[in-house]
Amino acid sequence: MKAETAYHGAMGQLFAAQATNSAYNAHTDRPAMLGLAGDVAGLSVLDLGCGAGHYAADLLARGAARVVGVDGSESLLCAARERIGDGADLHHHDLEEPLTFLADQSFDLVVMALVYHHLDAREQLLAEIRRVLRPGGALLVSTTHPTGDWTYFGGSYFADERAELPFGDGFVLSYWRMTLEQFLGELLSAGFVLERLLEPRAAEEAREIDPRRYDKTHNRPSFLAVRLRRP
């Protein structure tokens, strides 16, 4: 049975609302990814798993010339349209399937924030990303931190299995546990060159919003973010 990657219906609506100002999404992962992006003025950017459009909105505000967002959830894309309007070109598409609607070497930057670990068809998607990126273009990927998952779920650090994490009222997030070796190995084997690696901690704004999660990110690793280059 094929994995369900997207957050549909009420689950997507809840995620869209929480991601707006949450300690984890808004004040840990997003600042790290935007920092890795650097100067995006004039760039053509692909946002894979664009969700409710938070990253796309920030990239446009920072001067990106073109942003294309792709997500498998219509409820999240609805939230993205409300946030961005006509500022980005948004596509409803399952990331487990090839990106056949995107042209070769048509992007300078690809952003994949907290979606990679949900996917089964990662090798296929990385090949598609390499195809649509221009030579010298950058790929940004964030994921749950391997040691953070190990601490939370227990068992073997080297477990290669899907984990289920409670979310909201009765929802469950399903994603792959991966070692650091596997995560980086897949990206490097796909032909990308590692440029930077971050273990993000929550920004100061999160201290007032959610002090427990702020402290957690400053005491144990929760996320991992990398910038890679397509040779």
Side-chain angles (χ1 to χ4, degrees):
M1 181 178 178
K2 188 178 75 169
E4 180 52 72
T5 302
Y7 299 168
H8 296 291
M11 183 177 176
Q13 294 168 2
L14 175 61
F15 180 78
Q18 289 199 2
T20 299
N21 200 33
S22 68
Y24 286 159
N25 295 91
H27 299 296
T28 304
D29 184 71
R30 204 145 68 232
M33 290 288 272
L34 292 171
L36 286 175
D39 183 6
V40 299
L43 299 187
S44 181
V45 183
L46 174 61
D47 185 359
L48 292 174
C50 65
H54 295 93
Y55 296 79
D58 283 339
L59 291 164
L60 289 166
R62 291 168 178 238
R66 171 187 176 230
V67 174
V68 175
V70 181
D71 203 280
S73 167
E74 188 54 49
S75 60
L76 281 172
L77 287 173
C78 181
R81 293 185 193 102
E82 291 178 1
R83 176 164 287 104
I84 306 169
D86 296 329
D89 182 11
L90 301 176
H91 294 265
H92 184 210
H93 180 78
D94 185 354
L95 293 179
E96 300 285 1
E97 302 296 333
L99 305 172
T100 53
F101 55 96
L102 299 176
D104 293 359
Q105 298 186 16
S106 53
F107 294 96
D108 305 296
L109 173 68
V110 175
V111 176
M112 190 161 40
L114 298 178
V115 66
Y116 186 75
H117 50 290
H118 290 287
L119 297 164
D120 285 345
R122 297 189 300 275
E123 182 177 357
Q124 173 183 270
L125 182 59
L126 289 173
E128 286 289 87
I129 291 171
R130 199 172 193 280
R131 176 181 65 80
V132 303
L133 260 179
R134 298 183 178 116
L139 167 62
L140 313 183
V141 185
S142 60
T143 188
T144 58
H145 199 291
T147 58
D149 286 339
W150 181 35
T151 302
Y152 182 85
F153 291 108
S156 170
Y157 169 78
F158 297 99
D160 181 16
E161 62 190 14
R162 274 197 172 270
E164 293 190 344
L165 185 69
F167 174 66
D169 186 12
F171 299 114
V172 174
L173 303 179
S174 173
Y175 65 92
W176 285 99
R177 289 178 61 174
M178 280 183 270
T179 62
L180 179 62
E181 177 182 357
Q182 181 180 357
F183 174 66
L184 290 178
E186 290 180 0
L187 297 169
L188 298 177
S189 294
F192 295 96
V193 176
L194 180 65
E195 292 189 331
R196 289 187 65 193
L197 183 149
L198 299 178
E199 295 173 302
R201 274 81 88 191
E204 189 62 27
E205 292 88 341
R207 190 193 292 270
E208 296 298 323
I209 296 166
D210 192 334
R212 182 180 69 84
R213 288 187 170 90
Y214 173 88
D215 289 341
K216 179 181 173 182
T217 68
H218 284 261
N219 286 282
R220 73 181 222 193
S222 298
F223 299 104
L224 194 64
V226 293
R227 178 185 172 104
L228 305 110
R229 175 174 48 83
R230 181 207 191 281

Short mmCIF file of all heavy atoms in Angstrom, two decimals, residues 129-175:
data_model
loop_
_atom_site.label_atom_id
_atom_site.label_comp_id
_atom_site.label_asym_id
_atom_site.label_seq_id
_atom_site.Cartn_x
_atom_site.Cartn_y
_atom_site.Cartn_z
N ILE A 129 14.33 16.23 -8.75
CA ILE A 129 14.86 17.52 -8.30
C ILE A 129 16.14 17.84 -9.06
O ILE A 129 16.34 18.98 -9.52
CB ILE A 129 15.12 17.49 -6.79
CG1 ILE A 129 13.78 17.44 -6.02
CG2 ILE A 129 15.92 18.73 -6.35
CD1 ILE A 129 13.93 17.18 -4.54
N ARG A 130 17.00 16.86 -9.21
CA ARG A 130 18.25 17.09 -9.95
C ARG A 130 17.95 17.48 -11.40
O ARG A 130 18.64 18.32 -11.99
CB ARG A 130 19.12 15.84 -9.90
CG ARG A 130 20.58 16.10 -10.22
CD ARG A 130 21.44 14.88 -9.97
NE ARG A 130 22.85 15.21 -9.99
CZ ARG A 130 23.57 15.37 -11.08
NH1 ARG A 130 23.01 15.23 -12.27
NH2 ARG A 130 24.86 15.68 -11.01
N ARG A 131 16.90 16.89 -11.96
CA ARG A 131 16.53 17.20 -13.35
C ARG A 131 16.04 18.64 -13.49
O ARG A 131 16.41 19.32 -14.45
CB ARG A 131 15.41 16.24 -13.80
CG ARG A 131 14.88 16.52 -15.20
CD ARG A 131 13.76 15.56 -15.59
NE ARG A 131 12.57 15.71 -14.77
CZ ARG A 131 11.64 16.66 -14.96
NH1 ARG A 131 11.80 17.58 -15.91
NH2 ARG A 131 10.57 16.70 -14.19
N VAL A 132 15.24 19.13 -12.54
CA VAL A 132 14.64 20.46 -12.69
C VAL A 132 15.55 21.58 -12.19
O VAL A 132 15.31 22.75 -12.49
CB VAL A 132 13.26 20.54 -12.01
CG1 VAL A 132 12.32 19.49 -12.56
CG2 VAL A 132 13.36 20.44 -10.49
N LEU A 133 16.60 21.23 -11.43
CA LEU A 133 17.54 22.25 -10.96
C LEU A 133 18.56 22.58 -12.04
O LEU A 133 19.06 21.69 -12.74
CB LEU A 133 18.29 21.75 -9.73
CG LEU A 133 17.84 22.21 -8.34
CD1 LEU A 133 18.72 21.57 -7.28
CD2 LEU A 133 17.86 23.73 -8.20
N ARG A 134 18.90 23.84 -12.14
CA ARG A 134 19.98 24.25 -13.03
C ARG A 134 21.33 23.87 -12.41
O ARG A 134 21.47 23.82 -11.20
CB ARG A 134 19.93 25.76 -13.26
CG ARG A 134 18.64 26.20 -13.94
CD ARG A 134 18.63 27.70 -14.22
NE ARG A 134 17.39 28.05 -14.91
CZ ARG A 134 16.45 28.85 -14.43
NH1 ARG A 134 16.60 29.41 -13.23
NH2 ARG A 134 15.36 29.11 -15.12
N PRO A 135 22.35 23.60 -13.22
CA PRO A 135 23.68 23.34 -12.68
C PRO A 135 24.11 24.49 -11.77
O PRO A 135 23.95 25.67 -12.11
CB PRO A 135 24.56 23.27 -13.92
CG PRO A 135 23.62 22.80 -15.00
CD PRO A 135 22.31 23.47 -14.69
N GLY A 136 24.61 24.15 -10.60
CA GLY A 136 24.98 25.17 -9.61
C GLY A 136 23.83 25.55 -8.70
O GLY A 136 24.04 26.29 -7.72
N GLY A 137 22.62 25.06 -8.98
CA GLY A 137 21.47 25.37 -8.16
C GLY A 137 21.54 24.67 -6.81
O GLY A 137 22.30 23.71 -6.62
N ALA A 138 20.73 25.14 -5.87
CA ALA A 138 20.78 24.64 -4.49
C ALA A 138 19.51 23.89 -4.12
O ALA A 138 18.42 24.20 -4.59
CB ALA A 138 21.01 25.79 -3.52
N LEU A 139 19.69 22.90 -3.25
CA LEU A 139 18.59 22.14 -2.67
C LEU A 139 18.67 22.28 -1.16
O LEU A 139 19.71 22.00 -0.55
CB LEU A 139 18.69 20.66 -3.07
CG LEU A 139 17.80 19.67 -2.29
CD1 LEU A 139 16.32 19.98 -2.49
CD2 LEU A 139 18.13 18.24 -2.70
N LEU A 140 17.57 22.72 -0.54
CA LEU A 140 17.47 22.80 0.92
C LEU A 140 16.51 21.73 1.40
O LEU A 140 15.39 21.62 0.90
CB LEU A 140 16.95 24.17 1.35
CG LEU A 140 17.57 25.42 0.73
CD1 LEU A 140 16.94 26.67 1.36
CD2 LEU A 140 19.08 25.43 0.91
N VAL A 141 16.94 20.95 2.39
CA VAL A 141 16.10 19.88 2.94
C VAL A 141 16.16 19.95 4.46
O VAL A 141 17.25 20.03 5.04
CB VAL A 141 16.58 18.49 2.49
CG1 VAL A 141 15.62 17.40 2.99
CG2 VAL A 141 16.72 18.41 0.98
N SER A 142 15.00 19.90 5.11
CA SER A 142 14.96 19.75 6.56
C SER A 142 14.18 18.50 6.91
O SER A 142 13.30 18.06 6.16
CB SER A 142 14.35 20.98 7.23
OG SER A 142 13.02 21.20 6.80
N THR A 143 14.50 17.94 8.06
CA THR A 143 13.88 16.68 8.50
C THR A 143 13.93 16.62 10.02
O THR A 143 14.54 17.47 10.68
CB THR A 143 14.63 15.48 7.88
OG1 THR A 143 13.90 14.28 8.15
CG2 THR A 143 16.03 15.35 8.43
N THR A 144 13.25 15.63 10.58
CA THR A 144 13.39 15.39 12.02
C THR A 144 14.80 14.88 12.30
O THR A 144 15.39 14.19 11.48
CB THR A 144 12.35 14.37 12.50
OG1 THR A 144 12.52 13.15 11.78
CG2 THR A 144 10.93 14.89 12.28
N HIS A 145 15.33 15.23 13.45
CA HIS A 145 16.70 14.84 13.76
C HIS A 145 16.75 13.36 14.15
O HIS A 145 15.95 12.90 14.96
CB HIS A 145 17.22 15.69 14.92
CG HIS A 145 18.71 15.69 15.04
ND1 HIS A 145 19.42 14.58 15.42
CD2 HIS A 145 19.62 16.67 14.80
CE1 HIS A 145 20.70 14.87 15.43
NE2 HIS A 145 20.87 16.13 15.06
N PRO A 146 17.66 12.59 13.55
CA PRO A 146 17.72 11.16 13.84
C PRO A 146 17.84 10.83 15.33
O PRO A 146 17.19 9.91 15.83
CB PRO A 146 18.95 10.69 13.07
CG PRO A 146 19.06 11.66 11.93
CD PRO A 146 18.62 12.98 12.49
N THR A 147 18.67 11.58 16.06
CA THR A 147 18.82 11.28 17.48
C THR A 147 17.60 11.73 18.28
O THR A 147 17.29 11.15 19.32
CB THR A 147 20.10 11.91 18.06
OG1 THR A 147 20.07 13.33 17.86
CG2 THR A 147 21.33 11.33 17.40
N GLY A 148 16.93 12.78 17.81
CA GLY A 148 15.69 13.19 18.45
C GLY A 148 14.63 12.12 18.34
O GLY A 148 13.89 11.82 19.30
N ASP A 149 14.52 11.52 17.15
CA ASP A 149 13.57 10.42 16.97
C ASP A 149 13.94 9.23 17.85
O ASP A 149 13.06 8.57 18.44
CB ASP A 149 13.55 9.99 15.49
CG ASP A 149 12.82 10.97 14.61
OD1 ASP A 149 12.01 11.75 15.12
OD2 ASP A 149 13.08 10.97 13.38
N TRP A 150 15.22 8.91 17.92
CA TRP A 150 15.68 7.79 18.74
C TRP A 150 15.33 8.02 20.21
O TRP A 150 14.82 7.13 20.90
CB TRP A 150 17.18 7.62 18.55
CG TRP A 150 17.78 6.50 19.32
CD1 TRP A 150 17.21 5.28 19.61
CD2 TRP A 150 19.09 6.47 19.91
NE1 TRP A 150 18.08 4.49 20.32
CE2 TRP A 150 19.24 5.20 20.52
CE3 TRP A 150 20.14 7.39 19.94
CZ2 TRP A 150 20.41 4.85 21.19
CZ3 TRP A 150 21.30 7.01 20.59
CH2 TRP A 150 21.44 5.77 21.20
N THR A 151 15.54 9.24 20.68
CA THR A 151 15.23 9.56 22.08
C THR A 151 13.74 9.43 22.35
O THR A 151 13.32 8.93 23.39
CB THR A 151 15.70 10.99 22.40
OG1 THR A 151 17.10 11.10 22.17
CG2 THR A 151 15.41 11.35 23.84
N TYR A 152 12.93 9.88 21.38
CA TYR A 152 11.47 9.87 21.58
C TYR A 152 10.89 8.46 21.49
O TYR A 152 10.11 8.04 22.35
CB TYR A 152 10.80 10.78 20.56
CG TYR A 152 9.30 10.86 20.73
CD1 TYR A 152 8.73 11.77 21.62
CD2 TYR A 152 8.45 10.02 20.01
CE1 TYR A 152 7.36 11.85 21.78
CE2 TYR A 152 7.08 10.09 20.18
CZ TYR A 152 6.53 11.01 21.06
OH TYR A 152 5.18 11.07 21.23
N PHE A 153 11.25 7.72 20.44
CA PHE A 153 10.62 6.43 20.17
C PHE A 153 11.33 5.27 20.86
O PHE A 153 10.74 4.21 21.07
CB PHE A 153 10.57 6.16 18.66
CG PHE A 153 9.63 7.06 17.93
CD1 PHE A 153 10.11 8.07 17.09
CD2 PHE A 153 8.26 6.91 18.06
CE1 PHE A 153 9.24 8.90 16.41
CE2 PHE A 153 7.38 7.73 17.37
CZ PHE A 153 7.87 8.73 16.55
N GLY A 154 12.62 5.43 21.18
CA GLY A 154 13.36 4.35 21.78
C GLY A 154 13.74 3.29 20.75
O GLY A 154 13.73 3.53 19.55
N GLY A 155 14.08 2.10 21.25
CA GLY A 155 14.50 1.03 20.35
C GLY A 155 15.89 1.30 19.81
O GLY A 155 16.69 2.02 20.40
N SER A 156 16.16 0.76 18.63
CA SER A 156 17.47 0.91 18.02
C SER A 156 17.57 2.21 17.24
O SER A 156 16.66 2.57 16.50
CB SER A 156 17.73 -0.26 17.06
OG SER A 156 18.89 -0.03 16.29
N TYR A 157 18.69 2.91 17.41
CA TYR A 157 18.95 4.10 16.59
C TYR A 157 18.94 3.75 15.11
O TYR A 157 18.55 4.56 14.27
CB TYR A 157 20.30 4.71 16.98
CG TYR A 157 20.78 5.79 16.03
CD1 TYR A 157 20.25 7.08 16.09
CD2 TYR A 157 21.75 5.52 15.07
CE1 TYR A 157 20.68 8.08 15.21
CE2 TYR A 157 22.18 6.50 14.19
CZ TYR A 157 21.65 7.77 14.27
OH TYR A 157 22.07 8.75 13.39
N PHE A 158 19.33 2.53 14.78
CA PHE A 158 19.46 2.11 13.40
C PHE A 158 18.16 1.54 12.82
O PHE A 158 18.17 0.98 11.72
CB PHE A 158 20.59 1.09 13.27
CG PHE A 158 21.93 1.65 13.65
CD1 PHE A 158 22.46 1.40 14.90
CD2 PHE A 158 22.64 2.45 12.77
CE1 PHE A 158 23.69 1.94 15.27
CE2 PHE A 158 23.86 2.98 13.12
CZ PHE A 158 24.39 2.73 14.37
N ALA A 159 17.07 1.67 13.54
CA ALA A 159 15.78 1.17 13.05
C ALA A 159 15.42 1.84 11.72
O ALA A 159 15.52 3.06 11.58
CB ALA A 159 14.69 1.45 14.07
N ASP A 160 15.04 1.04 10.76
CA ASP A 160 14.61 1.54 9.44
C ASP A 160 13.13 1.20 9.32
O ASP A 160 12.75 0.17 8.78
CB ASP A 160 15.43 0.86 8.34
CG ASP A 160 15.06 1.34 6.95
OD1 ASP A 160 14.40 2.39 6.84
OD2 ASP A 160 15.40 0.65 5.98
N GLU A 161 12.29 2.10 9.83
CA GLU A 161 10.87 1.80 9.94
C GLU A 161 10.06 3.08 9.96
O GLU A 161 10.58 4.16 10.26
CB GLU A 161 10.60 1.01 11.22
CG GLU A 161 10.96 1.78 12.48
CD GLU A 161 10.92 0.94 13.75
OE1 GLU A 161 10.86 -0.30 13.61
OE2 GLU A 161 10.95 1.53 14.84
N ARG A 162 8.77 2.94 9.65
CA ARG A 162 7.87 4.06 9.78
C ARG A 162 7.47 4.23 11.25
O ARG A 162 7.21 3.26 11.95
CB ARG A 162 6.61 3.88 8.92
CG ARG A 162 6.81 4.37 7.49
CD ARG A 162 5.47 4.56 6.77
NE ARG A 162 5.69 5.21 5.49
CZ ARG A 162 5.69 6.53 5.30
NH1 ARG A 162 5.47 7.32 6.32
NH2 ARG A 162 5.90 7.04 4.11
N ALA A 163 7.46 5.47 11.68
CA ALA A 163 7.04 5.81 13.04
C ALA A 163 5.72 6.57 12.97
O ALA A 163 5.42 7.22 11.96
CB ALA A 163 8.10 6.66 13.72
N GLU A 164 4.94 6.50 14.03
CA GLU A 164 3.68 7.23 14.10
C GLU A 164 3.71 8.16 15.30
O GLU A 164 4.00 7.73 16.42
CB GLU A 164 2.50 6.26 14.19
CG GLU A 164 2.30 5.45 12.91
CD GLU A 164 1.00 4.69 12.90
OE1 GLU A 164 0.39 4.53 13.98
OE2 GLU A 164 0.58 4.26 11.81
N LEU A 165 3.41 9.42 15.04
CA LEU A 165 3.48 10.45 16.06
C LEU A 165 2.11 11.10 16.22
O LEU A 165 1.55 11.61 15.24
CB LEU A 165 4.52 11.51 15.66
CG LEU A 165 4.83 12.62 16.67
CD1 LEU A 165 5.57 12.03 17.88
CD2 LEU A 165 5.68 13.70 16.01
N PRO A 166 1.52 11.10 17.43
CA PRO A 166 0.22 11.75 17.62
C PRO A 166 0.28 13.23 17.28
O PRO A 166 1.27 13.91 17.57
CB PRO A 166 -0.06 11.53 19.11
CG PRO A 166 0.81 10.38 19.51
CD PRO A 166 2.04 10.48 18.65
N PHE A 167 -0.78 13.73 16.67
CA PHE A 167 -0.84 15.14 16.26
C PHE A 167 -2.26 15.65 16.44
O PHE A 167 -3.21 15.06 15.91
CB PHE A 167 -0.42 15.27 14.79
CG PHE A 167 -0.58 16.66 14.22
CD1 PHE A 167 0.18 17.71 14.68
CD2 PHE A 167 -1.52 16.91 13.22
CE1 PHE A 167 0.03 18.99 14.15
CE2 PHE A 167 -1.68 18.17 12.69
CZ PHE A 167 -0.90 19.21 13.15
N GLY A 168 -2.41 16.73 17.22
CA GLY A 168 -3.74 17.29 17.42
C GLY A 168 -4.65 16.32 18.15
O GLY A 168 -4.23 15.53 18.99
N ASP A 169 -5.93 16.38 17.82
CA ASP A 169 -6.95 15.57 18.48
C ASP A 169 -7.30 14.36 17.61
O ASP A 169 -8.20 14.42 16.78
CB ASP A 169 -8.20 16.41 18.75
CG ASP A 169 -9.24 15.66 19.56
OD1 ASP A 169 -8.92 14.59 20.09
OD2 ASP A 169 -10.39 16.14 19.65
N GLY A 170 -6.54 13.29 17.78
CA GLY A 170 -6.85 12.05 17.08
C GLY A 170 -6.15 11.85 15.76
O GLY A 170 -6.38 10.83 15.08
N PHE A 171 -5.27 12.76 15.34
CA PHE A 171 -4.53 12.60 14.09
C PHE A 171 -3.18 11.94 14.37
O PHE A 171 -2.67 11.97 15.49
CB PHE A 171 -4.31 13.95 13.40
CG PHE A 171 -5.59 14.65 13.04
CD1 PHE A 171 -5.94 15.85 13.64
CD2 PHE A 171 -6.44 14.12 12.08
CE1 PHE A 171 -7.12 16.50 13.31
CE2 PHE A 171 -7.62 14.76 11.73
CZ PHE A 171 -7.96 15.95 12.35
N VAL A 172 -2.60 11.38 13.33
CA VAL A 172 -1.31 10.70 13.45
C VAL A 172 -0.42 11.10 12.28
O VAL A 172 -0.85 11.03 11.12
CB VAL A 172 -1.48 9.17 13.48
CG1 VAL A 172 -0.11 8.48 13.46
CG2 VAL A 172 -2.27 8.73 14.70
N LEU A 173 0.80 11.49 12.57
CA LEU A 173 1.80 11.75 11.54
C LEU A 173 2.62 10.47 11.34
O LEU A 173 3.13 9.90 12.31
CB LEU A 173 2.74 12.88 11.95
CG LEU A 173 2.11 14.23 12.28
CD1 LEU A 173 3.18 15.23 12.68
CD2 LEU A 173 1.31 14.76 11.12
N SER A 174 2.74 10.04 10.10
CA SER A 174 3.52 8.85 9.78
C SER A 174 4.75 9.25 8.97
O SER A 174 4.61 9.95 7.96
CB SER A 174 2.66 7.85 8.98
OG SER A 174 3.44 6.76 8.53
N TYR A 175 5.92 8.82 9.43
CA TYR A 175 7.13 9.17 8.69
C TYR A 175 8.22 8.14 8.99
O TYR A 175 8.14 7.36 9.93
CB TYR A 175 7.61 10.58 9.04
CG TYR A 175 8.05 10.79 10.46
CD1 TYR A 175 9.38 10.64 10.83
CD2 TYR A 175 7.14 11.19 11.45
CE1 TYR A 175 9.80 10.85 12.13
CE2 TYR A 175 7.54 11.40 12.75
CZ TYR A 175 8.88 11.23 13.09
OH TYR A 175 9.29 11.43 14.39
#
